[in-house]
Amino acid sequence: AQSVTQLDSQVPVFEEAPVELRCNYSSSVSVYLFWYVQYPNQGLQLLLKYLSGSTLVKGINGFEAEFNKSQTSFHLRKPSVHISDTAEYFCAVSGSGGYNKLIFGAGTRLAVHP
Amino acid sequence: DAGVIQSPRHEVTEMGQEVTLRCKPISGHNSLFWYRQTMMRGLELLIYFNNNVPIDDSGMPEDRFSAKMPNASFSTLKIQPSEPRDSAVYFCASSPQFGGGEKLFFGSGTQLSVL
């Protein structure tokens, strides 16, 4: 079974500053890793994913994440945030192949201030 | 494409009443998922259908909850009788692949309040 821990429930940051949202996972098998974003009153949208290959993955809206197998982490980063990035961000993990339930973290609320 | 369509967007009901949430998946998607989001428990999978057949219902809380998928374009999640602790946002998601994987598309959710 897999589990996900998002280490920060809230992250306040000023506009144009860099940000890192932390995610750690645990699993006994190979995993797929995801970051989703949820804007107010909307469903979740896929931001980026790691399935295999390069450990640095780039997503939409200038976000990127790095898969670190030794540290079992998949932290999300953006070098310069905008007000419009204010949202809830979810890290998720699933086993690779077949039917593997997607397990979500508790979420991190990113608040970008002017 | 219109995306995953859920109705109603908001539902307010009294304890003991029956509640039915509806979902229309994206056309051509053969996998459908119901999720529940609460502050206490986060986002949790309730049930997963593939080709209209329930594959994983291990997340359904109790017998008061039931879900159906009578055809490829419609699913319902029913709570009878409803209780205040059922208050949450319920999301439907669909996918063109088995298990969802990296191709999971969410609806906008139904905000349920049970008084």
Side-chain angles (χ1 to χ4, degrees):
Chain A
Q2 292 82 37
S3 67
V4 179
T5 302
Q6 291 185 243
L7 297 163
D8 307 295
S9 60
Q10 296 185 63
V11 173
V13 63
F14 287 108
E15 194 173 19
E16 298 183 5
V19 70
E20 178 180 82
L21 306 184
R22 297 179 294 169
C23 172
N24 285 91
Y25 71 92
S26 69
S27 177
S28 57
V29 298
S30 297
V31 297
Y32 294 155
L33 292 157
F34 308 83
W35 276 98
Y36 283 83
V37 59
Q38 183 181 28
Y39 298 105
N41 300 314
Q42 295 186 27
L44 279 70
Q45 303 173 35
L46 182 65
L47 204 54
L48 51 76
K49 63 193 177 195
Y50 170 79
L51 305 181
S52 65
S54 173
T55 56
L56 182 64
V57 292
K58 295 185 184 298
I60 60 172
N61 301 339
F63 284 93
E64 64 179 33
E66 185 158 18
F67 170 56
N68 188 319
K69 188 174 181 179
S70 63
Q71 297 187 8
T72 60
S73 67
F74 191 56
H75 300 332
L76 181 70
R77 301 185 183 98
K78 186 169 182 178
S80 175
V81 295
H82 303 289
I83 296 287
S84 59
D85 292 324
T86 295
E88 186 99 20
Y89 292 80
F90 293 91
C91 183
V93 64
S94 75
S96 58
Y99 168 57
N100 284 281
K101 188 184 299 189
L102 195 59
I103 306 298
F104 287 89
T108 297
R109 183 167 298 278
L110 176 65
V112 182
H113 302 284
Chain B
D1 198 320
V4 177
I5 299 173
Q6 291 187 246
S7 63
R9 286 299 305 272
H10 303 275
E11 176 79 38
V12 181
T13 190
E14 291 187 348
M15 183 174 63
Q17 296 297 307
E18 178 180 294
V19 175
T20 299
L21 311 181
R22 297 172 177 79
C23 175
K24 177 179 169 55
I26 293 172
S27 178
H29 285 194
N30 58 2
S31 289
L32 184 139
F33 306 77
W34 282 101
Y35 285 88
R36 179 172 67 178
Q37 185 179 35
T38 61
M39 290 292 292
M40 291 297 294
R41 300 175 67 89
L43 198 64
E44 48 185 348
L45 177 66
L46 299 178
I47 189 167
Y48 161 49
F49 290 90
N50 182 255
N51 292 328
N52 313 335
V53 176
I55 301 298
D56 181 0
D57 63 356
S58 60
M60 293 289 267
E62 49 199 273
D63 292 346
R64 297 186 298 107
F65 285 69
S66 63
K68 294 182 179 179
M69 192 162 186
N71 57 62
S73 59
F74 183 65
S75 176
T76 59
L77 178 67
K78 185 177 294 186
I79 308 173
Q80 166 65 12
S82 58
E83 297 182 3
R85 62 193 169 114
D86 302 330
S87 297
V89 181
Y90 291 81
F91 288 103
C92 177
S94 71
S95 174
Q97 67 184 49
F98 183 76
E102 75 276 19
K103 297 183 180 179
L104 198 59
F105 297 85
F106 284 80
S108 297
T110 294
Q111 173 81 55
L112 173 65
S113 297
V114 184
L115 306 177

